[in-house]
Amino acid sequence: MFEKVALVGIGLIGSSLARAIRQNHLAGHVAISTRSPETLKRAEQLGLGDSYTTDAAEAVRDADLVIVSVPVGASEAVAKQIAPALKPGAILTDVGSTKLSVIAQMQPHVPAGVHFIPGHPLAGTEDSGPDSGFADLFRNRWCIFTPLPGTDPAALERLSEFWRRCGANIDTMDADHHDRTLAIVSHLPHIIAYNIVGTADDLQTVTKQEVIKYSASGFRDFTRLAASDPTMWRDVCLHNKDAILEMLARFSEDLASLQRAIRWGDGEKLFDLFTRTRAIRRSIIEAGQDIDAPNFGRQVAEQPAKP
Amino acid sequence: MFEKVALVGIGLIGSSLARAIRQNHLAGHVAISTRSPETLKRAEQLGLGDSYTTDAAEAVRDADLVIVSVPVGASEAVAKQIAPALKPGAILTDVGSTKLSVIAQMQPHVPAGVHFIPGHPLAGTEDSGPDSGFADLFRNRWCIFTPLPGTDPAALERLSEFWRRCGANIDTMDADHHDRTLAIVSHLPHIIAYNIVGTADDLQTVTKQEVIKYSASGFRDFTRLAASDPTMWRDVCLHNKDAILEMLARFSEDLASLQRAIRWGDGEKLFDLFTRTRAIRRSIIEAGQDIDAPNFGRQVAEQPAKP
Ligand SMILES: NC(=O)c1ccc[n+]([C@@H]2O[C@H](COP(=O)([O-])OP(=O)(O)OC[C@H]3O[C@@H](n4cnc5c(N)ncnc54)[C@H](OP(=O)(O)O)[C@@H]3O)[C@@H](O)[C@H]2O)c1
Ligand SMILES: NC(=O)c1ccc[n+]([C@@H]2O[C@H](COP(=O)([O-])OP(=O)(O)OC[C@H]3O[C@@H](n4cnc5c(N)ncnc54)[C@H](OP(=O)(O)O)[C@@H]3O)[C@@H](O)[C@H]2O)c1
């Protein structure tokens, strides 16, 4: 599809892209660049690309497609670094979990003639680094573009086709709406998960050993999210601040009202909320976004753990 | 092990017990009782026991072991109903998710000579009713007893052996400690999950369809817990009020501080919390309480959903 693709950043997302490009024959040459010599060496050992450099500008030279996959807080520095080396007509995109901030950081540096199309594949795991990627990460997942006014439709279609060949389904929306939507479906859940695990960690009346031992009763469902990469999530919190604070305010308000219902023994109110939330679960399963295995989908996998 | 076991309540837990008793040959006769004729009929169609009645007193007559598996708020009414029919020397136990309240509701009605041993198997799914049970539900899960002072050690050992043969591992602690522990490992996670799903449901800027469509980015992990039985969870909230309110207060305090860190852009504080919580996840996996599959353990199951 492309003669040369440059991947700037080769962690979970970048290395999954490298593997998907290889598997689906999407590029003649894959140039890999990452900040640290250690990560670069690991990428080379894994054979993820065709050329390797810690100099991002060198990697993007002559590339038809440049994909930046670094923590969102590093977007501006990377944009500055690569801007002078970008080829006219090239497509520049990213995979960052927040979009308004990435656009504000990168767009001013993009030279005329380069098609900058911000993107975000909704696919991830709790792992990070080049070893954690896999070619199927994007399969049947959404990739959201938040194109700027005046974006070349042909460039957008070419990038969309690239992601479709990586297995993704394409959506477009404006960056502001993206950031609010992700604040509720992804950022708030992660923040709440980090928070509850932190609360449990601080308790004195119940020991950490007990929390771990009995975690299957609900707690462990939060620990996966709370094991996600700290750098990435710090940057998400700092760079989608407004939408996150808005969702947090609503969540806290609702929680205060739930707390009051518990305090005053308002069983009817509790019952109503607990009933309403079931419908969403059903819709998620109908939409194919989760499986309906009992025991929280862990039944089969757990049996062998029996000592 | 027992000549006659009576199961009062035949939902997820009761029917799983019925199946485990059958599979492991733990009783000569299983008497089943439930409140409604519909559920009773379904239990009979499923062939879960040897005799069926809506009269709990009739079911427990001559039973050596009586297991009450109803929502915790119904404990007192059931205790009153069955007390006069309990056989001297019988073991009476329950499976309720809260213990101080169940003890307060049941103990005053237990006749002398009957061994009342409160219990709680930490095993469940988001489903309910007699169809949802399965014999392996308790396998490799904890069953916690909160014995009262003066409990007959022989009766406790006999009941423990019964649960071990159902696959469970046994623990004992006092009821107060049980209620606090469960408040953090189970009750708070469920309440938070119900709350976040409720918050998302109420949003106007992001539609319900969008929440469902993009739920795989974190949100869906909460929807399983938030699909649990409303009656059971209403009762848990009402009957473990003090411990739950205490945990909620701590959680809210921590969340306020996290919110402040986001508002003021305190990246260091965010990074520290997000790093600390990872350790707990590792311990849970080491303790065999969850699996370490990437993509939140759903990788394999999800692939076939591709349209
Ligand atoms: N993980 C997910 O679930 C997920 C899902 C969707 C989107 N995203 C987005 O994808 C992007 C990358 O995430 P990831 O999970 O692939 O991260 P990752 O596995 O931690 O990899 C991060 C990559 O960025 C580089 N990097 C880190 N800090 C940098 C800095 N200050 N300047 C320049 N390069 C830096 C790293 O280089 P070195 O190792 O050489 O330092 C590495 O190559 C983030 O913007 C994230 O928001 C993540
Ligand atoms: N589900 C879990 O994850 C889980 C885990 C551990 C412990 N527990 C505890 O186990 C107990 C039962 O839960 P479950 O999941 O088995 O519930 P379930 O599937 O909903 O079954 C409830 C049973 O209790 C009966 N019942 C409901 N309300 C009653 C009332 N007011 N008076 C008398 N009987 C009543 C029902 O009878 P009818 O259908 O005939 O009305 C049914 O037989 C609860 O105390 C719960 O806290 C549950």
Side-chain angles (χ1 to χ4, degrees):
Chain A
M1 267 202 84
F2 291 95
E3 258 180 49
K4 178 178 172 183
V5 174
L7 300 175
V8 180
I10 195 72
L12 170 69
I13 303 294
S15 77
S16 293
L17 278 167
R19 291 171 170 104
I21 290 170
R22 161 89 35 101
Q23 193 178 76
N24 303 295
H25 312 288
L26 303 180
H29 180 102
V30 175
I32 286 174
S33 151
T34 188
R35 181 180 55 165
S36 72
E38 298 73 38
T39 304
L40 192 70
K41 192 164 158 218
R42 189 61 196 143
E44 197 165 356
Q45 285 168 344
L46 292 165
L48 294 175
D50 302 295
S51 63
Y52 304 87
T53 171
T54 51
D55 181 355
E58 190 189 314
V60 308
R61 212 175 304 279
D62 301 321
D64 315 288
L65 172 65
V66 174
I67 308 178
V68 176
S69 313
V70 302
V72 290
S75 306
E76 174 149 38
V78 168
K80 269 190 190 159
Q81 210 189 336
I82 61 174
L86 289 169
K87 175 171 110 172
I91 295 174
L92 169 64
T93 188
D94 78 305
V95 300
S97 306
T98 76
K99 296 270 62 83
L100 281 176
S101 160
V102 167
I103 293 170
Q105 290 180 68
M106 295 185 72
Q107 204 197 1
H109 305 283
V110 179
V114 168
H115 305 286
F116 173 46
I117 305 175
H120 177 206
L122 305 194
T125 77
E126 64 275 37
D127 300 322
S128 54
D131 284 280
S132 60
F134 49 99
D136 278 345
L137 178 62
F138 309 110
R139 188 154 306 284
N140 202 23
R141 297 315 194 92
W142 292 103
C143 182
I144 300 179
F145 295 118
T146 61
L148 299 160
T151 296
D152 176 25
L156 179 58
E157 175 47 32
R158 208 164 161 222
L159 184 60
S160 301
E161 182 57 23
F162 170 84
W163 276 102
R164 277 193 288 264
R165 296 210 194 164
C166 290
N169 305 316
I170 307 300
D171 250 341
T172 59
M173 58 179 74
D174 68 52
D176 179 64
H177 189 65
H178 168 279
D179 285 4
R180 281 170 196 270
T181 304
L182 270 289
I184 187 69
V185 300
S186 175
H187 307 169
L188 187 63
H190 278 82
I191 289 166
I192 296 302
Y194 278 121
N195 195 68
I196 198 172
V197 175
T199 302
D201 195 32
D202 285 341
L203 287 180
Q204 251 126 42
T205 45
V206 180
T207 68
K208 212 172 296 185
Q209 280 66 35
E210 288 174 311
V211 169
I212 290 160
K213 188 169 170 186
Y214 304 127
S215 61
S217 335
F219 184 76
R220 71 164 173 202
D221 280 30
F222 294 76
T223 61
R224 285 182 178 272
L225 294 181
S228 302
D229 187 62
T231 305
M232 166 182 166
W233 283 99
R234 177 200 61 199
D235 279 14
V236 168
C237 288
L238 299 178
H239 290 270
N240 194 20
K241 187 165 120 171
D242 294 343
I244 288 174
L245 286 175
E246 187 197 321
M247 298 305 168
L248 263 175
R250 282 163 181 271
F251 173 87
S252 298
E253 216 174 84
D254 292 346
L255 192 63
S257 140
L258 180 47
Q259 203 164 340
R260 209 172 306 116
I262 294 173
R263 192 180 300 284
W264 295 102
D266 187 345
E268 209 173 312
K269 187 162 175 189
L270 296 172
F271 189 83
D272 285 350
L273 171 65
F274 298 173
T275 304
R276 184 156 69 87
T277 52
R278 285 191 131 175
I280 293 222
R281 174 77 193 153
R282 268 193 301 276
S283 312
I284 286 177
I285 289 168
E286 280 158 21
Q289 293 301 309
D290 205 352
I291 48 168
D292 193 17
N295 203 5
F296 306 102
R298 299 208 176 87
Q299 195 50 26
V300 185
E302 243 169 24
Q303 303 284 335
K306 173 94 184 157
Chain B
M1 268 202 82
F2 291 96
E3 260 180 46
K4 177 176 174 185
V5 174
L7 300 176
V8 180
I10 195 72
L12 170 69
I13 303 293
S15 76
S16 293
L17 278 167
R19 291 170 169 104
I21 290 169
R22 160 89 35 103
Q23 192 177 78
N24 302 294
H25 313 288
L26 302 180
H29 180 104
V30 175
I32 286 175
S33 153
T34 189
R35 181 179 55 163
S36 72
E38 299 73 37
T39 304
L40 191 70
K41 192 165 159 218
R42 188 62 196 141
E44 198 164 356
Q45 285 168 343
L46 292 166
L48 294 174
D50 303 294
S51 63
Y52 304 87
T53 171
T54 51
D55 181 355
E58 189 189 315
V60 308
R61 213 174 304 280
D62 300 322
D64 314 288
L65 173 63
V66 174
I67 308 180
V68 176
S69 312
V70 301
V72 290
S75 306
E76 175 150 36
V78 168
K80 269 191 192 160
Q81 209 189 336
I82 62 174
L86 290 168
K87 174 170 111 171
I91 296 174
L92 169 65
T93 189
D94 79 305
V95 299
S97 306
T98 76
K99 297 270 62 83
L100 281 175
S101 161
V102 168
I103 293 170
Q105 290 179 71
M106 294 186 73
Q107 204 197 1
H109 304 282
V110 179
V114 169
H115 305 286
F116 173 47
I117 305 175
H120 177 205
L122 305 195
T125 78
E126 62 277 36
D127 301 320
S128 53
D131 284 280
S132 60
F134 50 98
D136 278 345
L137 178 63
F138 310 109
R139 189 154 306 282
N140 204 24
R141 297 314 196 91
W142 292 103
C143 182
I144 300 178
F145 295 118
T146 60
L148 299 159
T151 297
D152 175 23
L156 179 58
E157 175 45 33
R158 210 166 158 219
L159 183 61
S160 302
E161 183 55 24
F162 169 84
W163 276 102
R164 277 192 289 263
R165 295 208 194 166
C166 290
N169 305 316
I170 307 301
D171 250 341
T172 58
M173 57 179 72
D174 68 52
D176 178 64
H177 189 67
H178 168 278
D179 285 4
R180 280 169 195 271
T181 303
L182 270 290
I184 187 70
V185 300
S186 174
H187 307 169
L188 187 63
H190 278 82
I191 289 165
I192 296 303
Y194 278 121
N195 194 68
I196 198 171
V197 175
T199 301
D201 196 31
D202 284 340
L203 287 180
Q204 251 126 42
T205 45
V206 180
T207 68
K208 214 173 293 188
Q209 280 66 35
E210 288 175 310
V211 169
I212 289 160
K213 188 168 170 187
Y214 305 126
S215 62
S217 335
F219 184 75
R220 71 164 174 202
D221 280 31
F222 293 76
T223 61
R224 285 181 177 271
L225 294 181
S228 301
D229 187 62
T231 306
M232 167 180 164
W233 284 98
R234 176 200 62 198
D235 279 15
V236 167
C237 288
L238 298 177
H239 291 269
N240 195 20
K241 185 165 122 172
D242 294 344
I244 288 174
L245 286 175
E246 187 197 320
M247 297 305 167
L248 264 174
R250 282 165 181 271
F251 173 87
S252 298
E253 216 174 85
D254 292 346
L255 191 64
S257 139
L258 180 47
Q259 202 164 342
R260 209 172 306 117
I262 294 173
R263 191 178 301 284
W264 294 102
D266 186 346
E268 209 172 313
K269 189 163 174 188
L270 296 172
F271 188 84
D272 285 350
L273 170 64
F274 299 173
T275 304
R276 184 156 69 87
T277 51
R278 286 191 130 174
I280 293 221
R281 175 77 193 153
R282 269 193 300 276
S283 311
I284 286 177
I285 289 167
E286 281 159 21
Q289 293 301 311
D290 206 351
I291 49 168
D292 193 15
N295 203 4
F296 305 103
R298 298 206 178 88
Q299 195 49 27
V300 186
E302 241 168 25
Q303 302 285 336
K306 174 93 183 157

